[in-house]
Amino acid sequence: MNTGAGSTAADAARTYPALRTRICELFGVRHPIVQTGMGFVSGPRLVAATANAGGLGILAGATLDLAELATAIAEIRQHTTQPFGVNLRADATDAGQRVDLLIREQVRVASFALAPRPDLIARLKEAGVLVVPSVGARRHAEKVAGWGADAVIVQGSEGGGHTGAVPTTLLVPQVVDAVDIPVIAAGGFFDGRGLVAALAYGAAGVAMGTRFLLTRDTTISPEVQRRYLEAGVDGTVVTSALDGVPQRLLRTEFIDRLERSGPLRRLARSARSAARFRRLTGTPWSRLLADGRAMRHSRELTWGQVLLAANTPMLLKAAMVDGRADLGVMATGQVTGLIDDLPSCAELIDRIIAQAQTVLDDLQGRGPDGDRR
């Protein structure tokens, strides 16, 4: 079992205190780099590989049922002794049971895509589990900080999946000035230059999704990864056609057709997707309806938008699990247009830290031998 031995390049970077940030101590990791909990992407293999490389890997728990989540946590533990996190849906009807599972398993971090209720935060914190919600607006960061969150992931508009309209370069310093907890910057990061830039804005590290998706440690099919690698910075689209809420996806013929279709056709497709999702997972209609009511309340969606949201799990699965890029959707950050390789997680994190050190050397006017130029 690989327990996460450090590399020469990464260890050398420890000479810079700036690269040992608040989240390193908080999470118990070597480097201020977080791999986000991407549905159908962030499985046990990717999470364990990230943890062993010195970052914080986050398991995508929202697309797993309770039993599958327990199995995935056990599988991660078979491959690493390092800390990791689990992403949960705060509006799930069984959110309380999932929180209980994380507490029993002594998972280090509970990550939330939506603001968790204060009572869930309190239960987790009392049990020693760190709470790290993801937000896209200053007011949301202020709210979860006031409720006791330990840190917050702040995603700018460049990020993939559901996203807001404010760029990372404006949102991160705004949130850093508004809250006292560590801020982790997300949206547009893929290398050591970005890490140093995030630290300069006052963030305590970076969170990356697309960059980790494009590694050899994911289970994504080569065909789907090829589609990501071939996309340019203009190869993404922010659309509400999928589930009624803006999200950034790879632009494909399927997405173009979806955007051209009318509301009634979208609703019909959503109803079919909901039925297919129910058959696949065995989820009772009563559970789907209860989740829909919770989603409608937490996101202030109309019932039409809730029905549209039934598209998302099955269409993401079609691409990310089944490899059908022609029939599914692929969430992505704009940064996909700047990525052209598939390193391992260890190679990626080592490279980021080594490049960050070089950037800091250059900023201080020092050469590679340490002498001031």
Side-chain angles (χ1 to χ4, degrees):
M1 177 176 66
N2 185 347
T3 58
S7 69
T8 302
D11 288 341
R14 293 183 184 180
T15 57
Y16 273 103
L19 297 179
R20 186 73 184 177
T21 73
R22 293 168 69 188
I23 64 169
C24 294
E25 302 299 333
L26 183 66
F27 300 152
V29 298
R30 297 197 305 277
H31 308 303
I33 297 172
V34 175
Q35 163 253 305
T36 60
M38 300 166 281
F40 301 111
V41 175
S42 301
R45 190 169 96 180
L46 180 62
V47 173
T50 302
N52 286 331
L56 180 75
I58 298 179
L59 175 70
T63 52
L64 305 174
D65 65 27
L66 196 60
E68 291 170 336
L69 179 57
T71 299
I73 291 172
E75 185 177 343
I76 294 170
R77 289 246 164 84
Q78 290 175 0
H79 297 286
T80 186
T81 59
Q82 303 303 308
F84 63 91
V86 173
N87 181 257
L88 304 176
R89 258 183 53 193
D91 58 357
T93 53
D94 63 349
Q97 293 173 276
R98 291 169 182 262
V99 164
D100 289 339
L101 174 62
L102 265 60
I103 291 172
R104 287 197 305 273
E105 294 295 329
Q106 297 182 312
V107 171
R108 182 68 171 172
V109 173
S111 164
F112 289 91
L114 296 173
R117 301 190 310 267
D119 63 301
L120 290 182
I121 294 177
R123 283 171 57 191
L124 287 162
K125 288 176 65 69
E126 184 178 354
V129 180
L130 300 169
V131 178
V132 184
S134 296
V135 302
R138 182 185 66 182
R139 67 182 184 278
H140 297 151
E142 291 172 330
K143 178 170 69 174
V144 296
W147 288 349
D150 296 284
V152 63
I153 296 174
V154 176
Q155 178 177 300
S157 60
E158 300 93 326
H162 292 111
T163 194
V166 182
T168 303
T169 52
L170 301 179
L171 183 60
V172 170
Q174 183 186 47
V175 174
V176 166
D177 289 343
V179 300
D180 293 328
I181 59 176
V183 172
I184 303 163
F189 297 101
F190 71 106
D191 65 3
R193 296 170 298 180
L195 173 57
V196 174
L199 298 180
Y201 278 122
V206 295
M208 304 184 298
T210 304
R211 177 64 275 196
F212 277 104
L213 184 155
L214 293 173
T215 64
R216 298 195 302 274
D217 292 311
T218 67
T219 56
I220 303 305
S221 75
E223 168 61 19
V224 171
Q225 287 187 318
R226 181 185 65 79
R227 296 289 293 266
Y228 277 88
L229 292 173
E230 291 178 349
V233 291
D234 58 350
T236 71
V237 59
V238 177
T239 179
S240 299
L242 184 62
D243 64 2
V245 180
Q247 60 176 306
R248 187 178 297 280
L249 307 166
L250 277 186
R251 181 179 286 282
T252 63
E253 292 182 3
F254 179 84
I255 292 297
D256 288 341
R257 289 198 306 270
L258 189 65
E259 289 198 297
R260 289 195 300 268
S261 64
L264 290 180
R265 291 185 64 184
R266 292 179 195 168
L267 287 173
R269 180 184 290 109
S270 298
R272 292 194 298 270
S273 293
R276 187 178 170 203
F277 181 73
R278 189 195 70 81
R279 290 194 301 271
L280 181 71
T281 62
T283 305
W285 279 111
S286 59
R287 166 73 179 280
L288 286 178
L289 291 173
D291 280 349
R293 284 194 297 269
M295 184 185 300
R296 181 172 182 266
H297 175 73
S298 64
R299 298 185 184 177
E300 299 180 350
L301 303 183
T302 66
W303 277 110
Q305 288 174 316
V306 168
L307 189 54
L308 281 172
N311 275 318
T312 304
M314 292 311 305
L315 293 180
L316 282 171
K317 179 182 179 296
M320 298 305 182
V321 177
D322 302 334
R324 294 299 304 269
D326 57 326
L327 297 178
V329 299
M330 293 164 280
T332 184
Q334 280 184 295
V335 74
T336 190
L338 301 177
I339 298 172
D340 59 7
D341 65 346
L342 296 170
S344 68
C345 287
E347 292 167 346
L348 173 63
I349 290 180
D350 283 356
R351 189 165 75 194
I352 289 173
I353 296 300
Q355 187 182 32
Q357 178 175 333
T358 298
V359 171
L360 291 170
D361 282 339
D362 290 343
L363 289 173
Q364 292 192 11
R366 294 184 185 277
D369 58 358
D371 293 332
R372 184 171 295 280
R373 293 170 182 160

